[in-house]
Amino acid sequence: MLSQSMQDALNEQVRIEGQSSQVYLAMASWAEIQPGINNITSFFYRHSDEERMHMLKLIHFINERGGFAVIPDLKQPQLTFPSISHAFKSLLDHEVAVSESINKLVDIALSEKDYATHNFLQWYVAEQIEEEALARNINDKLELIGDEKSGLYLLDRDIMNVTIGGGPANP
Ligand code: FEO
């Protein structure tokens, strides 16, 4: 059984994952109307779907452990970006913030000796390592190419093969 404080903290993470899904959905919609970056557009749509999956996994866990998962109210995210680089920088910043919030959940689980929740959260810890590494990698590439059209063409081609998330094990 979850403590009330653990349940509240997990529900806050439900909100954060739901908001992340919205943030990347907005990036996807913006990218879709930019010419020639179809694969980057698909990347953002896939990433948005991944975040929804992260949210659902939390919802099921909370409910299965005797709590009640609260479906959150969400804010409208940033809708447009000055450039592709700005969008990916924002994605990296967002993932770093999500990692911090996961770490806080792990702290709470340990302080409450809630080992079941601690164990559940390890999937998210591993997932965040992957997501941050991926976002850093793309940002490093963008730093090299700037917003040059030829570089963006190559990034758009390469990003087609990038697998996001899915985590260390199937959810
Ligand atoms: Fe669910 Fe990208 O963090």
Side-chain angles (χ1 to χ4, degrees):
M1 186 84 180
L2 291 170
S3 71
Q4 191 60 49
S5 54
M6 191 75 253
Q7 186 178 166
D8 292 346
L10 288 168
N11 268 320
E12 172 58 12
Q13 193 64 31
V14 168
R15 188 193 64 73
I16 290 169
E17 301 291 348
Q19 187 65 35
S20 301
S21 182
Q22 293 289 94
V23 165
Y24 301 143
L25 190 58
M27 287 177 186
S29 178
W30 171 77
E32 197 162 32
I33 60 163
Q34 313 306 312
I37 53 165
N38 298 359
N39 296 322
I40 290 174
T41 299
S42 301
F43 171 88
F44 286 130
Y45 276 119
R46 287 203 309 277
H47 210 152
S48 174
D49 286 347
E50 279 290 324
E51 299 301 346
R52 180 176 153 78
M53 184 274 286
H54 297 173
M55 177 180 69
L56 285 173
K57 194 172 159 73
L58 277 157
I59 288 171
H60 295 317
F61 179 76
I62 295 166
N63 287 336
E64 282 164 8
R65 298 250 356 258
F68 175 53
V70 178
I71 305 309
D73 199 5
L74 298 174
K75 280 194 302 206
Q76 185 172 58
Q78 183 174 344
L79 298 178
T80 61
F81 301 85
S83 68
I84 307 287
S85 304
H86 282 83
F88 276 107
K89 176 69 176 63
S90 171
L91 183 145
L92 173 59
D93 291 346
H94 193 85
E95 287 303 329
V96 169
V98 172
S99 296
E100 282 169 14
S101 69
I102 295 288
N103 289 343
K104 277 189 202 146
L105 286 175
V106 172
D107 280 347
I108 297 170
L110 278 179
S111 71
E112 295 192 1
K113 296 190 171 29
D114 181 346
Y115 299 115
T117 300
H118 181 265
N119 185 50
F120 168 77
L121 289 170
Q122 294 314 301
W123 185 89
Y124 286 83
V125 171
E127 175 73 5
Q128 283 313 117
I129 293 170
E130 277 185 21
E131 290 207 5
E132 271 194 48
L134 172 64
R136 285 215 167 80
N137 189 277
I138 295 171
N139 273 275
D140 288 348
K141 285 190 173 140
L142 277 164
E143 207 152 296
L144 284 177
I145 64 180
D147 275 314
E148 269 178 43
K149 286 191 173 134
S150 53
L152 275 180
Y153 171 80
L154 293 175
L155 179 69
D156 189 68
R157 193 192 62 184
D158 290 352
I159 212 166
M160 196 160 51
N161 301 318
V162 167
T163 319
I164 327 150
N170 282 333

